[in-house]
Amino acid sequence: MLRYKVEPYVVAADVYSVPPHVGRGGWTWYTGSAGWLYRAGIESILGLRVKADSLLIDPCIPVAWPGFEMTLRYRGAVYEISVRNPGRVSRGVVAVKLDGLSRPVEAGKALLRLGKEHGTHAILVTLG
């Protein structure tokens, strides 16, 4: 951080290689990069991707993660998403429940239709 000298929570567009600024970051708050990095994390690591009126669930997380939780706000509804990883695997959805009701899983992924009902809904995902 002493060398980099920029915020650790944003994406630097440049890391300088010419003295006296070697290793120092520049052009932070580069919003195009930050937006794509955020999207890559949500969609490719957490595996939560909104497609039309559906939510594709296909996490690819480190095996050390016991799971994660996330809140999705979509068209007036709130989805409290909880992903559990009891077998410490990297990927592979084995079960999904939406508001306590089991939903189909196919090829280690789940596709949930996002309802038009407002309010809060619970999604429980189990990897294995």
Side-chain angles (χ1 to χ4, degrees), residues 73-115:
R73 288 175 174 75
Y74 182 78
R75 296 187 178 171
V78 176
Y79 294 89
E80 298 291 343
I81 303 166
S82 182
V83 176
R84 302 288 175 245
N85 189 12
R88 295 295 207 261
V89 298
S90 179
R91 67 182 331 160
V93 175
V94 293
V96 174
K97 289 186 178 183
L98 173 59
D99 293 333
L101 299 174
S102 293
R103 299 299 178 147
V105 173
E106 187 175 313
K109 302 174 187 178
L111 186 64
L112 300 179
R113 182 121 175 118
L114 298 174

Side-chain angles (χ1 to χ4, degrees), residues 1 11 13 31 35 37 45-46 49 52 54-55 72 76 82 89 95 118-119:
M1 184 70 177
V11 177
T31 56
L37 182 62
I45 298 170
L46 301 183
R49 193 172 300 132
S54 297
L55 177 65
L72 171 67
S82 182
V89 298
H118 294 262

